[in-house]
PDB file of all heavy atoms in Angstrom:
ATOM      1  N   PRO B  39      24.788 -24.687  12.945  1.00  0.00           N
ATOM      2  CA  PRO B  39      25.959 -25.508  13.329  1.00  0.00           C
ATOM      3  C   PRO B  39      27.293 -24.817  13.012  1.00  0.00           C
ATOM      4  O   PRO B  39      28.289 -25.026  13.734  1.00  0.00           O
ATOM      5  CB  PRO B  39      25.792 -26.794  12.509  1.00  0.00           C
ATOM      6  CG  PRO B  39      24.357 -26.881  12.182  1.00  0.00           C
ATOM      7  CD  PRO B  39      23.891 -25.450  12.047  1.00  0.00           C
ATOM      8  N   VAL B  40      27.345 -23.997  11.954  1.00  0.00           N
ATOM      9  CA  VAL B  40      28.574 -23.278  11.640  1.00  0.00           C
ATOM     10  C   VAL B  40      28.877 -22.277  12.751  1.00  0.00           C
ATOM     11  O   VAL B  40      30.022 -22.203  13.240  1.00  0.00           O
ATOM     12  CB  VAL B  40      28.451 -22.561  10.280  1.00  0.00           C
ATOM     13  CG1 VAL B  40      29.705 -21.756   9.985  1.00  0.00           C
ATOM     14  CG2 VAL B  40      28.200 -23.551   9.156  1.00  0.00           C
ATOM     15  N   ALA B  41      27.858 -21.543  13.174  1.00  0.00           N
ATOM     16  CA  ALA B  41      28.067 -20.564  14.259  1.00  0.00           C
ATOM     17  C   ALA B  41      28.467 -21.274  15.547  1.00  0.00           C
ATOM     18  O   ALA B  41      29.369 -20.791  16.232  1.00  0.00           O
ATOM     19  CB  ALA B  41      26.782 -19.742  14.441  1.00  0.00           C
ATOM     20  N   ASP B  42      27.814 -22.361  15.848  1.00  0.00           N
ATOM     21  CA  ASP B  42      28.144 -23.088  17.090  1.00  0.00           C
ATOM     22  C   ASP B  42      29.574 -23.575  17.071  1.00  0.00           C
ATOM     23  O   ASP B  42      30.302 -23.479  18.049  1.00  0.00           O
ATOM     24  CB  ASP B  42      27.196 -24.275  17.268  1.00  0.00           C
ATOM     25  CG  ASP B  42      25.753 -23.818  17.569  1.00  0.00           C
ATOM     26  OD1 ASP B  42      25.566 -22.628  17.948  1.00  0.00           O
ATOM     27  OD2 ASP B  42      24.840 -24.648  17.396  1.00  0.00           O
ATOM     28  N   MET B  43      30.034 -24.110  15.940  1.00  0.00           N
ATOM     29  CA  MET B  43      31.378 -24.622  15.843  1.00  0.00           C
ATOM     30  C   MET B  43      32.392 -23.461  15.904  1.00  0.00           C
ATOM     31  O   MET B  43      33.431 -23.608  16.566  1.00  0.00           O
ATOM     32  CB  MET B  43      31.579 -25.451  14.598  1.00  0.00           C
ATOM     33  CG  MET B  43      32.992 -26.026  14.507  1.00  0.00           C
ATOM     34  SD  MET B  43      33.179 -27.111  13.072  1.00  0.00           S
ATOM     35  CE  MET B  43      33.283 -28.639  13.944  1.00  0.00           C
ATOM     36  N   ALA B  44      32.089 -22.373  15.242  1.00  0.00           N
ATOM     37  CA  ALA B  44      32.979 -21.226  15.256  1.00  0.00           C
ATOM     38  C   ALA B  44      33.152 -20.676  16.668  1.00  0.00           C
ATOM     39  O   ALA B  44      34.245 -20.321  17.122  1.00  0.00           O
ATOM     40  CB  ALA B  44      32.475 -20.123  14.345  1.00  0.00           C
ATOM     41  N   LYS B  45      32.051 -20.696  17.443  1.00  0.00           N
ATOM     42  CA  LYS B  45      32.140 -20.260  18.861  1.00  0.00           C
ATOM     43  C   LYS B  45      33.047 -21.196  19.668  1.00  0.00           C
ATOM     44  O   LYS B  45      33.738 -20.740  20.585  1.00  0.00           O
ATOM     45  CB  LYS B  45      30.750 -20.233  19.492  1.00  0.00           C
ATOM     46  CG  LYS B  45      29.910 -19.079  19.002  1.00  0.00           C
ATOM     47  CD  LYS B  45      28.531 -19.117  19.652  1.00  0.00           C
ATOM     48  CE  LYS B  45      27.681 -17.986  19.106  1.00  0.00           C
ATOM     49  NZ  LYS B  45      26.328 -17.953  19.726  1.00  0.00           N
ATOM     50  N   GLU B  46      33.032 -22.462  19.358  1.00  0.00           N
ATOM     51  CA  GLU B  46      33.917 -23.403  20.050  1.00  0.00           C
ATOM     52  C   GLU B  46      35.362 -23.243  19.653  1.00  0.00           C
ATOM     53  O   GLU B  46      36.262 -23.408  20.489  1.00  0.00           O
ATOM     54  CB  GLU B  46      33.473 -24.850  19.719  1.00  0.00           C
ATOM     55  CG  GLU B  46      32.154 -25.255  20.303  1.00  0.00           C
ATOM     56  CD  GLU B  46      31.719 -26.655  19.838  1.00  0.00           C
ATOM     57  OE1 GLU B  46      32.558 -27.383  19.279  1.00  0.00           O
ATOM     58  OE2 GLU B  46      30.539 -26.982  19.994  1.00  0.00           O
ATOM     59  N   LEU B  47      35.610 -22.891  18.382  1.00  0.00           N
ATOM     60  CA  LEU B  47      36.973 -22.803  17.867  1.00  0.00           C
ATOM     61  C   LEU B  47      37.684 -21.506  18.188  1.00  0.00           C
ATOM     62  O   LEU B  47      38.913 -21.473  18.300  1.00  0.00           O
ATOM     63  CB  LEU B  47      36.989 -22.998  16.343  1.00  0.00           C
ATOM     64  CG  LEU B  47      36.553 -24.358  15.827  1.00  0.00           C
ATOM     65  CD1 LEU B  47      36.494 -24.329  14.312  1.00  0.00           C
ATOM     66  CD2 LEU B  47      37.510 -25.435  16.312  1.00  0.00           C
ATOM     67  N   VAL B  48      36.948 -20.418  18.329  1.00  0.00           N
ATOM     68  CA  VAL B  48      37.612 -19.102  18.497  1.00  0.00           C
ATOM     69  C   VAL B  48      38.312 -19.027  19.872  1.00  0.00           C
ATOM     70  O   VAL B  48      37.780 -19.528  20.880  1.00  0.00           O
ATOM     71  CB  VAL B  48      36.557 -17.952  18.339  1.00  0.00           C
ATOM     72  CG1 VAL B  48      35.586 -17.899  19.481  1.00  0.00           C
ATOM     73  CG2 VAL B  48      37.277 -16.610  18.150  1.00  0.00           C
ATOM     74  N   ARG B  49      39.470 -18.441  19.896  1.00  0.00           N
ATOM     75  CA  ARG B  49      40.191 -18.249  21.137  1.00  0.00           C
ATOM     76  C   ARG B  49      39.413 -17.217  21.988  1.00  0.00           C
ATOM     77  O   ARG B  49      38.851 -16.267  21.453  1.00  0.00           O
ATOM     78  CB  ARG B  49      41.589 -17.720  20.900  1.00  0.00           C
ATOM     79  CG  ARG B  49      42.490 -18.703  20.221  1.00  0.00           C
ATOM     80  CD  ARG B  49      43.928 -18.213  20.185  1.00  0.00           C
ATOM     81  NE  ARG B  49      44.063 -16.855  19.725  1.00  0.00           N
ATOM     82  CZ  ARG B  49      45.179 -16.151  19.769  1.00  0.00           C
ATOM     83  NH1 ARG B  49      46.270 -16.671  20.272  1.00  0.00           N
ATOM     84  NH2 ARG B  49      45.233 -14.922  19.317  1.00  0.00           N
ATOM     85  N   ARG B  50      39.438 -17.392  23.243  1.00  0.00           N
ATOM     86  CA  ARG B  50      38.702 -16.501  24.143  1.00  0.00           C
ATOM     87  C   ARG B  50      39.689 -15.721  25.009  1.00  0.00           C
ATOM     88  O   ARG B  50      40.458 -16.306  25.709  1.00  0.00           O
ATOM     89  CB  ARG B  50      37.730 -17.276  25.018  1.00  0.00           C
ATOM     90  CG  ARG B  50      36.633 -17.906  24.237  1.00  0.00           C
ATOM     91  CD  ARG B  50      35.746 -18.772  25.167  1.00  0.00           C
ATOM     92  NE  ARG B  50      34.795 -19.523  24.357  1.00  0.00           N
ATOM     93  CZ  ARG B  50      33.563 -19.082  24.059  1.00  0.00           C
ATOM     94  NH1 ARG B  50      33.154 -17.929  24.519  1.00  0.00           N
ATOM     95  NH2 ARG B  50      32.785 -19.809  23.339  1.00  0.00           N
ATOM     96  N   ALA B  56      33.547 -14.309  20.676  1.00  0.00           N
ATOM     97  CA  ALA B  56      32.729 -15.547  20.612  1.00  0.00           C
ATOM     98  C   ALA B  56      31.262 -15.252  20.764  1.00  0.00           C
ATOM     99  O   ALA B  56      30.413 -15.806  20.056  1.00  0.00           O
ATOM    100  CB  ALA B  56      33.192 -16.516  21.682  1.00  0.00           C
ATOM    101  N   ILE B  59      29.338 -13.990  17.531  1.00  0.00           N
ATOM    102  CA  ILE B  59      29.125 -14.895  16.356  1.00  0.00           C
ATOM    103  C   ILE B  59      27.685 -15.299  16.332  1.00  0.00           C
ATOM    104  O   ILE B  59      27.180 -15.908  17.297  1.00  0.00           O
ATOM    105  CB  ILE B  59      30.077 -16.116  16.394  1.00  0.00           C
ATOM    106  CG1 ILE B  59      31.522 -15.673  16.329  1.00  0.00           C
ATOM    107  CG2 ILE B  59      29.746 -17.073  15.262  1.00  0.00           C
ATOM    108  CD1 ILE B  59      32.533 -16.765  16.595  1.00  0.00           C
ATOM    109  N   TYR B 107      38.865 -19.508  12.770  1.00  0.00           N
ATOM    110  CA  TYR B 107      37.738 -20.131  13.432  1.00  0.00           C
ATOM    111  C   TYR B 107      36.533 -20.198  12.525  1.00  0.00           C
ATOM    112  O   TYR B 107      35.790 -21.165  12.568  1.00  0.00           O
ATOM    113  CB  TYR B 107      37.397 -19.363  14.746  1.00  0.00           C
ATOM    114  CG  TYR B 107      37.078 -17.884  14.516  1.00  0.00           C
ATOM    115  CD1 TYR B 107      35.775 -17.458  14.434  1.00  0.00           C
ATOM    116  CD2 TYR B 107      38.110 -16.967  14.383  1.00  0.00           C
ATOM    117  CE1 TYR B 107      35.488 -16.133  14.208  1.00  0.00           C
ATOM    118  CE2 TYR B 107      37.847 -15.644  14.158  1.00  0.00           C
ATOM    119  CZ  TYR B 107      36.546 -15.221  14.070  1.00  0.00           C
ATOM    120  OH  TYR B 107      36.275 -13.887  13.841  1.00  0.00           O
ATOM    121  N   ALA B 111      35.200 -23.841  10.647  1.00  0.00           N
ATOM    122  CA  ALA B 111      33.823 -24.175  11.013  1.00  0.00           C
ATOM    123  C   ALA B 111      33.024 -24.364   9.741  1.00  0.00           C
ATOM    124  O   ALA B 111      32.219 -25.308   9.606  1.00  0.00           O
ATOM    125  CB  ALA B 111      33.215 -23.092  11.899  1.00  0.00           C
ATOM    126  N   GLN B 115      31.381 -27.951   8.467  1.00  0.00           N
ATOM    127  CA  GLN B 115      29.926 -28.038   8.489  1.00  0.00           C
ATOM    128  C   GLN B 115      29.253 -27.923   7.164  1.00  0.00           C
ATOM    129  O   GLN B 115      28.018 -28.029   7.080  1.00  0.00           O
ATOM    130  CB  GLN B 115      29.365 -26.974   9.463  1.00  0.00           C
ATOM    131  CG  GLN B 115      29.759 -27.189  10.896  1.00  0.00           C
ATOM    132  CD  GLN B 115      29.129 -28.439  11.466  1.00  0.00           C
ATOM    133  OE1 GLN B 115      28.024 -28.840  11.109  1.00  0.00           O
ATOM    134  NE2 GLN B 115      29.866 -29.103  12.362  1.00  0.00           N
TER     135      GLN B 115
END
Side-chain angles (χ1 to χ4, degrees):
V40 177
D42 292 342
M43 181 175 251
K45 286 179 183 182
E46 291 174 15
L47 294 175
V48 69
R49 293 189 312 170
R50 293 176 188 267
I59 298 171
Y107 56 98
Q115 293 295 325

